[in-house]
């Protein structure tokens, strides 16, 4: 599972990516600075992991990670191949969610590809190009179905009518994610088309340092524009986050954050938001060799969670021994949790909860 950072050129995508990742994507004041998508594997900050480390004192600690892709800036006409449009759209199709960066600051030293600052217009440019590409996808499929529909194929007719409805909404400027589908329609058809505007989106308002707490007029315009999308909006200052990342010690970073009135770097909030956007959660394994956070999808069963460690664990799953994070911290050790009768034995139907500490029994 990975999220792609998208936006117009020069809105702060690569600066943000540099903050997220140890990879140093080139960041400069001209369009298409990022040509090949840079991929960063980013650790998910989790204080629970630190608490478990203090108790278990393992040889090593492995955090959960999320994959972030920095994709080339898009311009008007991308759906028709303008700029790096075709490459951009191919790269975004390979991601599972979109981090849409909007420039919400003024700076005469940083050029804007459209001339003036208007994040709502910028958003609409991206939306329109993605919708045009989805329209092309829908129309191509409709053409392929026409012959089957003429022969009286009921399934083809059902799919054809659904695609016509999607086409109508796209022509109105409505993204696929905003269209109401039945569960059957979505799982049988919509989910298979890989529509670009069906991907969940997080809007990141890139502001100046003075606006990082309360936002500004640009942020308010974005909030108004997306109020019906049920999408999260995050406010951060990418340039300021870059300055924070340059500081060597925790103490220096904390002083910087205190001066700004922030409890944690905006990057941490962004990583957590992306993790949630991808519908992911964490469970832990805890032993003297290793304390580790494992990433699974929300709603995964115990065997599916075991399969993240190794496919054999899922195939030969017998049971899972489960301790809640709260009980582990409260009692202070696995032995004491067992003595208190707080360790549970769960079977194949168990839905894993975020923060569960698990041991798997399996036989292959």
């Amino acid at each position: 599972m990975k999220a792609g950072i998208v936006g117009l050129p020069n809105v702060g995508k690569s600066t943000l990516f540099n903050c997220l990742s140890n990879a140093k994507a080139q960041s400069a004041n001209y369009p298409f600075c990022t040509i090949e998508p840079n991929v960063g594997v980013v650790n998910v900050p989790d204080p629970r992991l630190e608490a478990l480390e203090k108790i278990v004192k393992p040889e090593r600690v492995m955090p959960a990670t999320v994959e972030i892709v920095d994709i080339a800036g898009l311009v008007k006409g991308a759906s028709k191949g303008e700029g790096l449009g075709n490459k951009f759209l191919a790269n975004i199709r390979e991601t599972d969610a979109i981090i849409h960066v909007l420039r919400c600051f003024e700076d005469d030293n940083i050029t804007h590809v459209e001339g003036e600052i208007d994040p709502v217009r910028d958003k609409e440019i991206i939306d329109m190009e993605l919708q045009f590409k989805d329209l092309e996808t829908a129309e191509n499929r409709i053409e392929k179905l026409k012959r089957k529909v003429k022969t009286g194929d009921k399934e083809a007719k059902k799919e054809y009518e659904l695609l016509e409805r999607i086409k109508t909404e796209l022509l109105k400027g409505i993204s696929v994610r905003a269209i109401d589908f039945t569960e059957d329609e979505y799982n049988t058809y919509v989910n298979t088309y890989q529509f670009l505007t069906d991907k969940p989106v997080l809007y990141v308002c890139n502001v100046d340092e003075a606006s990082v707490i309360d936002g500004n007029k640009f942020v308010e315009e974005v909030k108004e524009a997306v109020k019906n999308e049920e999408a999260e909006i995050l406010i951060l200052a990418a340039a300021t986050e870059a300055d924070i990342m340059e500081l060597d010690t925790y103490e220096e970073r904390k002083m910087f954050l205190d001066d700004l009135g922030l409890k944690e770097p905006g990057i941490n909030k962004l990583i957590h938001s992306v993790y949630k956007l991808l519908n992911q959660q964490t469970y832990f394994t805890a032993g003297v060799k290793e304390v580790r956070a494992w990433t699974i999808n929300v709603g995964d069963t115990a065997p599916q969670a075991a399969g993240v460690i190794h496919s054999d664990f899922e195939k030969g799953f017998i049971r899972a021994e489960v301790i809640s994070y709260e009980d582990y911290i409260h009692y202070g050790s696995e032995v004491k949790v067992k003595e208190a009768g707080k360790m549970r034995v769960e079977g194949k139907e168990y839905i894993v909860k975020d923060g569960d500490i698990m041991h798997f029994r399996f036989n292959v």
Side-chain angles (χ1 to χ4, degrees):
M1 298 288 283
K2 57 187 176 184
I5 302 178
V6 305
L8 294 181
N10 286 9
V11 297
K13 300 185 308 302
S14 293
T15 302
L16 194 61
F17 178 81
N18 288 342
C19 296
L20 283 165
S21 165
N22 289 328
K24 290 294 180 184
Q26 186 186 9
S27 180
N29 182 25
Y30 56 87
F32 309 131
C33 176
T34 307
I35 296 178
E36 291 300 326
N38 295 281
V39 180
V41 178
V42 182
N43 291 341
V44 178
D46 195 333
R48 296 175 300 181
L49 202 58
E50 298 168 15
L52 289 172
E53 181 184 9
K54 288 178 182 177
I55 292 173
V56 180
K57 297 180 174 58
E59 292 176 15
R60 66 173 184 170
V61 176
M62 297 292 289
T65 60
V66 63
E67 197 167 306
I68 308 288
V69 185
D70 180 23
I71 297 171
L74 176 147
V75 294
K76 280 181 182 176
S79 58
K80 304 299 180 186
E82 292 293 326
L84 297 171
N86 289 330
K87 181 177 284 291
F88 172 96
L89 295 166
N91 290 334
I92 194 172
R93 198 178 295 282
E94 294 171 5
T95 66
D96 302 286
I98 297 170
I99 305 165
H100 191 158
V101 181
L102 297 166
R103 179 171 169 178
C104 294
F105 67 90
E106 293 176 321
D107 186 338
D108 293 338
N109 294 317
I110 301 177
T111 58
H112 192 291
V113 72
E114 291 294 320
E116 61 182 358
I117 310 305
D118 185 343
V120 174
R121 175 209 56 213
D122 295 354
K123 171 195 175 300
E124 289 172 351
I125 289 173
I126 298 277
D127 285 351
M128 190 177 298
E129 295 303 327
L130 299 185
Q131 287 162 6
F132 281 154
K133 203 65 181 177
D134 283 349
L135 191 59
E136 182 183 303
T137 300
E139 287 175 339
N140 288 342
R141 182 60 183 161
I142 286 170
E143 281 302 311
K144 290 178 181 178
L145 286 169
K146 280 182 177 177
R147 186 175 295 177
K148 285 186 177 181
V149 172
K150 287 178 180 177
T151 65
D153 187 316
K154 291 182 179 179
E155 279 301 311
K157 186 174 185 291
K158 184 178 177 182
E159 183 180 357
Y160 181 89
E161 290 173 349
L162 175 65
L163 284 163
E164 282 289 354
R165 178 154 61 95
I166 292 170
K167 177 181 173 180
T168 299
E169 296 300 304
L170 286 168
L171 286 169
K172 293 177 186 175
I174 296 171
S175 294
V176 173
R177 75 176 74 87
I179 303 172
D180 287 329
F181 300 107
T182 65
E183 187 175 344
D184 179 61
E185 285 174 336
Y186 188 81
N187 292 333
T188 305
Y189 301 113
V190 181
N191 196 37
T192 66
Y193 303 134
Q194 289 188 297
F195 285 125
L196 300 178
T197 64
D198 187 37
K199 297 178 187 294
V201 62
L202 166 70
Y203 292 105
V204 176
C205 291
N206 184 16
V207 300
D208 54 27
E209 189 173 299
S211 306
V212 74
I213 300 294
D214 299 318
N216 55 33
K217 65 176 183 178
F218 299 123
V219 173
E220 293 307 312
E221 290 168 5
V222 172
K223 286 180 179 178
E224 179 65 24
V226 307
K227 65 182 180 183
N228 296 323
E229 293 190 28
E230 296 183 3
E232 184 182 353
I233 295 174
L234 197 64
I235 303 170
L236 58 77
T240 303
E241 294 292 327
D243 291 340
I244 294 171
M245 293 297 113
E246 291 297 322
L247 298 173
D248 294 327
T249 66
Y250 170 81
E251 288 73 20
E252 287 176 314
R253 292 184 183 184
K254 188 174 185 309
M255 285 177 62
F256 198 129
L257 290 168
D258 287 344
D259 287 342
L260 293 173
L262 297 172
K263 293 182 179 179
E264 63 175 340
I267 289 300
N268 286 12
K269 293 180 182 177
L270 176 59
I271 295 170
H272 287 135
S273 294
V274 171
Y275 204 61
K276 181 181 176 183
L277 190 68
L278 291 168
N279 198 39
Q280 296 185 320
Q281 65 179 14
T282 302
Y283 79 87
F284 302 100
T285 52
V288 291
K289 289 284 184 183
E290 178 184 83
V291 166
R292 182 164 185 157
W294 299 89
T295 299
I296 58 172
N297 294 319
V298 174
D300 275 358
T301 61
Q304 288 172 319
V308 173
I309 299 176
H310 197 288
S311 58
D312 285 349
F313 283 31
E314 182 173 3
K315 291 174 186 174
F317 180 89
I318 299 171
R319 66 178 184 274
E321 296 171 352
V322 184
I323 302 170
S324 74
Y325 170 78
E326 291 76 15
D327 284 339
Y328 203 106
I329 297 302
H330 176 74
Y331 291 100
S333 74
E334 186 175 313
V335 172
K336 290 181 179 178
V337 169
K338 287 179 178 178
E339 289 173 352
K342 294 293 184 178
M343 177 181 281
R344 309 188 311 277
V345 176
E346 302 286 0
K348 292 181 178 180
E349 304 302 316
Y350 177 67
I351 304 298
V352 180
K353 296 180 177 61
D354 185 58
D356 277 350
I357 296 156
M358 307 183 76
H359 290 297
F360 298 105
R361 303 297 176 187
F362 68 101
N363 181 32
V364 177

